[in-house]
PDB file of all heavy atoms in Angstrom:
ATOM      1  N   LYS A 475     -16.042 -83.080 -14.695  1.00 92.00           N
ATOM      2  CA  LYS A 475     -17.221 -82.247 -15.029  1.00 92.00           C
ATOM      3  C   LYS A 475     -18.342 -82.493 -14.025  1.00 92.00           C
ATOM      4  O   LYS A 475     -18.932 -81.554 -13.492  1.00 92.00           O
ATOM      5  CB  LYS A 475     -17.753 -82.642 -16.415  1.00 92.00           C
ATOM      6  CG  LYS A 475     -17.238 -81.803 -17.538  1.00 92.00           C
ATOM      7  CD  LYS A 475     -18.141 -82.054 -18.724  1.00 92.00           C
ATOM      8  CE  LYS A 475     -17.383 -81.951 -20.012  1.00 92.00           C
ATOM      9  NZ  LYS A 475     -18.124 -82.464 -21.155  1.00 92.00           N
ATOM     10  N   ALA A 476     -18.594 -83.782 -13.779  1.00 93.00           N
ATOM     11  CA  ALA A 476     -19.685 -84.109 -12.860  1.00 93.00           C
ATOM     12  C   ALA A 476     -19.409 -83.525 -11.470  1.00 93.00           C
ATOM     13  O   ALA A 476     -20.322 -83.042 -10.798  1.00 93.00           O
ATOM     14  CB  ALA A 476     -19.868 -85.624 -12.786  1.00 93.00           C
ATOM     15  N   ALA A 477     -18.127 -83.550 -11.057  1.00 93.00           N
ATOM     16  CA  ALA A 477     -17.776 -83.040  -9.717  1.00 93.00           C
ATOM     17  C   ALA A 477     -18.061 -81.541  -9.614  1.00 93.00           C
ATOM     18  O   ALA A 477     -18.413 -81.045  -8.549  1.00 93.00           O
ATOM     19  CB  ALA A 477     -16.313 -83.320  -9.418  1.00 93.00           C
ATOM     20  N   ILE A 478     -17.918 -80.838 -10.732  1.00 91.00           N
ATOM     21  CA  ILE A 478     -18.239 -79.401 -10.718  1.00 91.00           C
ATOM     22  C   ILE A 478     -19.742 -79.181 -10.848  1.00 91.00           C
ATOM     23  O   ILE A 478     -20.333 -78.336 -10.181  1.00 91.00           O
ATOM     24  CB  ILE A 478     -17.514 -78.695 -11.892  1.00 91.00           C
ATOM     25  CG1 ILE A 478     -16.041 -78.508 -11.535  1.00 91.00           C
ATOM     26  CG2 ILE A 478     -18.158 -77.370 -12.227  1.00 91.00           C
ATOM     27  CD1 ILE A 478     -15.312 -77.529 -12.419  1.00 91.00           C
ATOM     28  N   GLN A 479     -20.346 -79.993 -11.734  1.00 91.00           N
ATOM     29  CA  GLN A 479     -21.759 -79.726 -12.077  1.00 91.00           C
ATOM     30  C   GLN A 479     -22.742 -80.108 -10.964  1.00 91.00           C
ATOM     31  O   GLN A 479     -23.710 -79.396 -10.736  1.00 91.00           O
ATOM     32  CB  GLN A 479     -22.133 -80.493 -13.353  1.00 91.00           C
ATOM     33  CG  GLN A 479     -21.602 -79.821 -14.583  1.00 91.00           C
ATOM     34  CD  GLN A 479     -21.896 -80.626 -15.833  1.00 91.00           C
ATOM     35  OE1 GLN A 479     -21.808 -81.855 -15.824  1.00 91.00           O
ATOM     36  NE2 GLN A 479     -22.235 -79.940 -16.904  1.00 91.00           N
ATOM     37  N   GLU A 480     -22.467 -81.245 -10.324  1.00 92.00           N
ATOM     38  CA  GLU A 480     -23.457 -81.768  -9.386  1.00 92.00           C
ATOM     39  C   GLU A 480     -23.803 -80.804  -8.249  1.00 92.00           C
ATOM     40  O   GLU A 480     -24.982 -80.510  -8.023  1.00 92.00           O
ATOM     41  CB  GLU A 480     -22.992 -83.137  -8.848  1.00 92.00           C
ATOM     42  CG  GLU A 480     -24.021 -84.238  -8.879  1.00 92.00           C
ATOM     43  CD  GLU A 480     -25.278 -83.998  -9.683  1.00 92.00           C
ATOM     44  OE1 GLU A 480     -25.196 -83.887 -10.938  1.00 92.00           O
ATOM     45  OE2 GLU A 480     -26.368 -83.882  -9.077  1.00 92.00           O
ATOM     46  N   PRO A 481     -22.787 -80.262  -7.539  1.00 92.00           N
ATOM     47  CA  PRO A 481     -23.140 -79.356  -6.416  1.00 92.00           C
ATOM     48  C   PRO A 481     -23.916 -78.114  -6.867  1.00 92.00           C
ATOM     49  O   PRO A 481     -24.893 -77.728  -6.219  1.00 92.00           O
ATOM     50  CB  PRO A 481     -21.777 -78.935  -5.837  1.00 92.00           C
ATOM     51  CG  PRO A 481     -20.773 -79.855  -6.422  1.00 92.00           C
ATOM     52  CD  PRO A 481     -21.342 -80.443  -7.670  1.00 92.00           C
ATOM     53  N   ILE A 482     -23.520 -77.525  -8.010  1.00 92.00           N
ATOM     54  CA  ILE A 482     -24.212 -76.301  -8.452  1.00 92.00           C
ATOM     55  C   ILE A 482     -25.629 -76.648  -8.909  1.00 92.00           C
ATOM     56  O   ILE A 482     -26.585 -75.927  -8.640  1.00 92.00           O
ATOM     57  CB  ILE A 482     -23.434 -75.535  -9.549  1.00 92.00           C
ATOM     58  CG1 ILE A 482     -24.157 -74.253  -9.959  1.00 92.00           C
ATOM     59  CG2 ILE A 482     -23.160 -76.329 -10.786  1.00 92.00           C
ATOM     60  CD1 ILE A 482     -23.866 -73.100  -9.115  1.00 92.00           C
ATOM     61  N   ARG A 483     -25.749 -77.811  -9.561  1.00 90.00           N
ATOM     62  CA  ARG A 483     -27.072 -78.263  -9.987  1.00 90.00           C
ATOM     63  C   ARG A 483     -27.988 -78.450  -8.774  1.00 90.00           C
ATOM     64  O   ARG A 483     -29.107 -77.960  -8.740  1.00 90.00           O
ATOM     65  CB  ARG A 483     -26.900 -79.607 -10.695  1.00 90.00           C
ATOM     66  CG  ARG A 483     -27.660 -79.702 -11.979  1.00 90.00           C
ATOM     67  CD  ARG A 483     -27.490 -81.046 -12.587  1.00 90.00           C
ATOM     68  NE  ARG A 483     -26.792 -81.006 -13.846  1.00 90.00           N
ATOM     69  CZ  ARG A 483     -25.962 -81.932 -14.300  1.00 90.00           C
ATOM     70  NH1 ARG A 483     -25.668 -82.989 -13.573  1.00 90.00           N
ATOM     71  NH2 ARG A 483     -25.418 -81.830 -15.491  1.00 90.00           N
ATOM     72  N   GLN A 484     -27.433 -79.144  -7.788  1.00 91.00           N
ATOM     73  CA  GLN A 484     -28.247 -79.426  -6.581  1.00 91.00           C
ATOM     74  C   GLN A 484     -28.622 -78.133  -5.856  1.00 91.00           C
ATOM     75  O   GLN A 484     -29.764 -77.966  -5.427  1.00 91.00           O
ATOM     76  CB  GLN A 484     -27.452 -80.305  -5.633  1.00 91.00           C
ATOM     77  CG  GLN A 484     -27.645 -81.776  -5.919  1.00 91.00           C
ATOM     78  CD  GLN A 484     -26.832 -82.653  -4.973  1.00 91.00           C
ATOM     79  OE1 GLN A 484     -26.444 -82.224  -3.895  1.00 91.00           O
ATOM     80  NE2 GLN A 484     -26.575 -83.874  -5.407  1.00 91.00           N
ATOM     81  N   ALA A 485     -27.639 -77.228  -5.744  1.00 90.00           N
ATOM     82  CA  ALA A 485     -27.916 -75.967  -5.036  1.00 90.00           C
ATOM     83  C   ALA A 485     -28.991 -75.185  -5.779  1.00 90.00           C
ATOM     84  O   ALA A 485     -29.957 -74.696  -5.169  1.00 90.00           O
ATOM     85  CB  ALA A 485     -26.646 -75.141  -4.912  1.00 90.00           C
ATOM     86  N   ALA A 486     -28.838 -75.072  -7.121  1.00 89.00           N
ATOM     87  CA  ALA A 486     -29.817 -74.296  -7.890  1.00 89.00           C
ATOM     88  C   ALA A 486     -31.193 -74.950  -7.809  1.00 89.00           C
ATOM     89  O   ALA A 486     -32.231 -74.272  -7.749  1.00 89.00           O
ATOM     90  CB  ALA A 486     -29.366 -74.145  -9.330  1.00 89.00           C
ATOM     91  N   GLU A 487     -31.194 -76.284  -7.808  1.00 88.00           N
ATOM     92  CA  GLU A 487     -32.456 -77.030  -7.732  1.00 88.00           C
ATOM     93  C   GLU A 487     -33.161 -76.710  -6.403  1.00 88.00           C
ATOM     94  O   GLU A 487     -34.327 -76.325  -6.379  1.00 88.00           O
ATOM     95  CB  GLU A 487     -32.121 -78.526  -7.809  1.00 88.00           C
ATOM     96  CG  GLU A 487     -33.279 -79.447  -8.083  1.00 88.00           C
ATOM     97  CD  GLU A 487     -33.926 -79.196  -9.438  1.00 88.00           C
ATOM     98  OE1 GLU A 487     -33.243 -79.153 -10.479  1.00 88.00           O
ATOM     99  OE2 GLU A 487     -35.155 -79.010  -9.425  1.00 88.00           O
ATOM    100  N   GLN A 488     -32.412 -76.811  -5.323  1.00 91.00           N
ATOM    101  CA  GLN A 488     -32.999 -76.642  -3.992  1.00 91.00           C
ATOM    102  C   GLN A 488     -33.318 -75.165  -3.709  1.00 91.00           C
ATOM    103  O   GLN A 488     -34.404 -74.827  -3.252  1.00 91.00           O
ATOM    104  CB  GLN A 488     -32.018 -77.202  -2.961  1.00 91.00           C
ATOM    105  CG  GLN A 488     -32.653 -77.491  -1.600  1.00 91.00           C
ATOM    106  CD  GLN A 488     -32.451 -76.341  -0.635  1.00 91.00           C
ATOM    107  OE1 GLN A 488     -31.395 -75.715  -0.629  1.00 91.00           O
ATOM    108  NE2 GLN A 488     -33.466 -76.042   0.150  1.00 91.00           N
ATOM    109  N   GLU A 489     -32.370 -74.297  -4.051  1.00 94.00           N
ATOM    110  CA  GLU A 489     -32.538 -72.883  -3.701  1.00 94.00           C
ATOM    111  C   GLU A 489     -33.434 -72.133  -4.682  1.00 94.00           C
ATOM    112  O   GLU A 489     -33.766 -70.974  -4.456  1.00 94.00           O
ATOM    113  CB  GLU A 489     -31.160 -72.202  -3.616  1.00 94.00           C
ATOM    114  CG  GLU A 489     -30.376 -72.716  -2.423  1.00 94.00           C
ATOM    115  CD  GLU A 489     -28.889 -72.389  -2.486  1.00 94.00           C
ATOM    116  OE1 GLU A 489     -28.477 -71.621  -3.381  1.00 94.00           O
ATOM    117  OE2 GLU A 489     -28.156 -72.931  -1.646  1.00 94.00           O
ATOM    118  N   GLY A 490     -33.793 -72.805  -5.770  1.00 95.00           N
ATOM    119  CA  GLY A 490     -34.663 -72.153  -6.746  1.00 95.00           C
ATOM    120  C   GLY A 490     -36.136 -72.427  -6.502  1.00 95.00           C
ATOM    121  O   GLY A 490     -36.995 -71.909  -7.207  1.00 95.00           O
ATOM    122  N   SER A 491     -36.457 -73.239  -5.484  1.00 96.00           N
ATOM    123  CA  SER A 491     -37.859 -73.635  -5.315  1.00 96.00           C
ATOM    124  C   SER A 491     -38.678 -72.533  -4.664  1.00 96.00           C
ATOM    125  O   SER A 491     -38.142 -71.653  -3.971  1.00 96.00           O
ATOM    126  CB  SER A 491     -37.942 -74.894  -4.447  1.00 96.00           C
ATOM    127  OG  SER A 491     -37.749 -74.536  -3.101  1.00 96.00           O
TER     128      SER A 491
END
Side-chain angles (χ1 to χ4, degrees):
K475 265 196 212 167
I478 283 195
Q479 283 176 320
E480 228 13 66
I482 182 85
R483 226 182 245 146
Q484 272 179 21
E487 194 63 51
Q488 198 264 322
E489 291 164 8
S491 77

